[in-house]
Amino acid sequence: MVNVDEKLEPILNDVLRRNAGEHEFHQAVREVLESVGRVIAKRPHYARNALIERICEPERQIIFRVPWIDDHGQVQINRGFRVQFNSALGPYKGGIRFHPSVNVGIIKFLGFEQTFKNALTGLPIGGAKGGSDFNPRGRSETEIMRFCQSFMTELHRHIGEYVDVPAGDIGVGGREIGYMFGQYKRLTNRYEAGVLTGKALFHGGSRARKEATGYGAAYFVRRMMQIKGLDLEGRKVVVSGSGNVAIYTMEKFIEFGAKVIACSDSNGFVYDENGLDLDLIKEIKEVRRERISTYVLRKGGSARYKEAGSIWTVPCDVAMPSATQNELTGKDAKMLIENGVLAVGEGANMPSTPDAVRLFQEAGVLFAPGKAANAGGVATSALEMQQNASRDSWTFEKTENRLAGIMDNIHDLCAATADEYGAPGDYVLGANIAGFVRVAEAMDALGVT
Ligand code: GLU
């Protein structure tokens, strides 16, 4: 593993000490600090102004109780979080995650990553993340609504279109955003569409927002492959997950002429050498909200379901980890490399462990890190804010064209930055440095804040 520059070591040690036990946050900070050592040499005033220390410390962290009543009349308690990480480039912006694994360390790592991701889009948005350890699995429609209302009853005082603009993430989609927007509107007596993104069209949502993260990741990987002379026609693609990001990654790759042969959920994965039926996956996941195992029962033919084992054992040309953090380990990376993978694109946030990233890079596999490859979702959220501010609603085509242009820009910025810092083709370094420099410059110009 690359080591952190010795000048940055005390900063990293401080982060580890002050955020004890927050492993994912440590991992995310370490990765960025490993890259930015090279920046400090060129820009010594960053050290004088303690910019790195400031960037690693969230501006504000809010933790709150979320009481709600289940369908049996029983009171339930969850914990809510919003970490407002950095507002140098714009109002705090980032999703909300409902998942039992959520804790302050997870939300902090996501907020930290979000800050650089949002900077890479070139749009005026700061970084934040929120969520709760609430588990939506198996909960009724009314329980979900009551939970969202209670969550927003506290959150509403901390957000606003010029303050902090949440959106969805794992466990939070259009339905949950609708309930939260409803509660915000009721509490504030304001139709402030720009306070949340990922809304329904009739509440001021943007066309192509739902598709944006997945489409954007596919655009990024296509460009990364194109400049190496690799096309996608007939290539085998494996996408982990079967949520919003995974579904629209698959859709765009199929449109590009590739063959998507496997996807998964937290129970297992489905596999079909002849290509998956995306309409059926959408029906199972988006309409019926069922497990992916039902795919094989409905589809039959050459489709297979595997409950145990890793989806990364399926040989493929392109791997798109799009489920959750640290889902692709060193062992998985070895298997993918042995099976001849050409490119890996992170649809999820930090899905590859540091070991896996190192192995891909050493093997010369094209590797697109999440903070660059999955920035299309939040970029389109910023386009939603733009539409809300101008009380406009763009066509799908216009929105998707803007998204495609933004993804090309992010790709080219990361590639050019990697070249400039002497590591051509290293998109991890390129993304970390380019994102970091944008945030650091904006912070520095604001004085010591
Ligand atoms: N949760 C998404 C992400 O990880 C989207 C955030 C947003 O649209 O604000 O980038």
Side-chain angles (χ1 to χ4, degrees):
M1 193 192 284
V2 193
N3 283 322
V4 170
D5 184 286
E6 63 177 27
K7 280 200 231 53
L8 301 184
E9 235 170 67
I11 301 178
L12 178 62
N13 288 337
D14 222 36
V15 169
L16 304 186
R17 185 181 57 78
R18 299 171 84 194
N19 302 279
E22 297 175 2
H23 306 296
E24 292 81 3
F25 182 51
H26 298 173
Q27 184 183 334
V29 171
R30 186 189 300 274
E31 188 207 281
V32 169
L33 295 193
E34 275 171 4
S35 300
V36 302
R38 303 181 194 218
V39 182
I40 306 308
K42 287 196 185 187
R43 300 169 196 243
H45 66 286
Y46 282 10
R48 223 167 30 244
N49 296 344
L51 272 160
I52 301 176
E53 291 90 327
R54 280 193 276 154
I55 280 182
C56 294
E57 183 68 18
E59 287 178 22
R60 188 175 298 110
Q61 307 182 52
I62 303 146
I63 303 182
F64 51 98
R65 179 169 71 202
V66 189
W68 57 284
I69 300 174
D70 71 16
D71 285 348
H72 306 291
Q74 176 67 48
V75 176
Q76 301 279 347
I77 303 294
N78 285 98
R79 192 171 281 180
F81 303 90
R82 186 73 180 164
V83 174
Q84 299 177 329
F85 223 106
N86 196 298
S87 61
L89 286 166
Y92 306 110
K93 180 84 197 88
I96 289 174
R97 175 177 292 192
F98 291 165
H99 192 270
S101 65
V102 163
N103 57 42
V104 69
I106 297 266
I107 298 298
K108 242 191 251 178
F109 117 66
L110 289 164
F112 183 74
E113 291 282 291
Q114 196 82 45
T115 300
F116 304 110
K117 182 196 309 194
N118 294 4
L120 287 173
T121 67
L123 299 164
I125 41 178
K129 203 80 183 195
S132 173
D133 57 1
F134 171 70
N135 187 358
R137 173 96 51 90
R139 290 295 177 189
S140 69
E141 198 64 50
T142 51
E143 287 177 318
I144 301 274
M145 181 174 71
R146 284 195 296 277
F147 181 80
C148 289
Q149 289 177 337
S150 181
F151 184 83
M152 185 52 85
T153 299
E154 173 58 32
L155 187 67
H156 89 280
R157 68 187 91 251
H158 307 291
I159 62 175
E161 79 176 296
Y162 295 110
V163 181
D164 182 356
V165 183
D169 195 82
I170 295 171
V172 177
R175 174 180 65 172
E176 292 74 18
I177 294 292
Y179 294 148
M180 286 194 265
F181 184 56
Q183 186 73 350
Y184 183 86
K185 188 168 77 59
R186 188 177 177 202
L187 288 166
T188 59
N189 193 34
R190 284 161 62 89
Y191 204 110
E192 191 186 323
V195 71
L196 287 167
T197 61
K199 300 179 296 297
L201 261 184
F202 44 70
H203 295 139
S206 175
R207 291 187 177 81
R209 174 62 191 89
K210 186 173 68 171
E211 294 82 357
T213 313
Y215 279 16
Y219 279 122
F220 191 104
V221 169
R222 182 175 67 163
R223 192 167 181 91
M224 181 171 76
M225 291 176 71
Q226 256 167 1
I227 58 169
K228 291 278 175 198
L230 299 165
D231 69 9
L232 278 163
E233 194 58 46
R235 299 276 190 204
K236 287 183 184 166
V237 181
V238 169
V239 182
S240 63
S242 47
N244 203 39
V245 180
I247 286 176
Y248 293 97
T249 298
M250 296 194 257
E251 184 162 281
K252 196 43 85 178
F253 272 117
I254 292 169
E255 204 186 300
F256 288 161
K259 201 198 289 180
V260 178
I261 56 169
C263 74
S264 62
D265 64 16
S266 51
N267 289 86
F269 66 91
V270 289
Y271 166 71
D272 192 338
E273 186 70 53
N274 296 313
L276 294 174
D277 174 348
L278 190 59
D279 288 337
L280 180 55
I281 293 173
K282 281 188 185 172
E283 194 196 312
I284 291 169
K285 300 308 286 192
E286 293 184 337
V287 183
R288 297 173 172 268
R289 297 178 186 272
E290 286 175 355
R291 306 307 292 164
I292 201 70
S293 55
T294 61
Y295 178 89
V296 172
L297 304 174
R298 288 171 200 278
K299 189 72 195 173
S302 48
R304 296 283 174 274
Y305 175 69
K306 218 168 158 208
E307 196 157 86
S310 162
I311 190 173
W312 309 118
T313 54
V314 177
C316 60
D317 302 304
V318 179
M320 301 293 295
S322 309
T324 194
Q325 65 273 356
N326 291 329
E327 54 158 308
L328 196 164
T329 63
K331 194 171 154 211
D332 297 323
K334 268 192 207 128
M335 182 64 85
L336 283 164
I337 294 164
E338 257 173 54
N339 289 334
V341 73
L342 300 170
V344 177
E346 294 190 321
N349 292 312
M350 210 171 73
S352 314
T353 63
D355 259 14
V357 178
R358 183 179 47 79
L359 288 166
F360 287 137
Q361 292 186 322
E362 283 172 6
V365 174
L366 294 169
F367 181 78
K371 60 171 78 69
N374 74 35
V378 75
T380 308
S381 276
L383 302 181
E384 181 170 332
M385 290 162 72
Q386 225 177 98
Q387 292 168 75
N388 295 148
S390 57
R391 302 191 183 282
D392 199 357
S393 179
W394 304 347
T395 62
F396 195 97
E397 199 190 0
K398 173 172 172 164
T399 318
E400 195 186 345
N401 283 340
R402 285 287 309 269
L403 165 67
I406 292 166
M407 294 315 296
D408 285 352
N409 287 341
I410 297 174
H411 172 279
D412 295 354
L413 173 67
C414 295
T417 307
D419 285 348
E420 185 191 333
Y421 283 85
D426 186 342
Y427 288 88
V428 174
L429 188 106
N432 284 338
I433 293 185
F436 175 84
V437 167
R438 278 198 178 153
V439 178
E441 291 296 316
M443 283 177 76
D444 210 23
L446 290 169
V448 179
T449 60

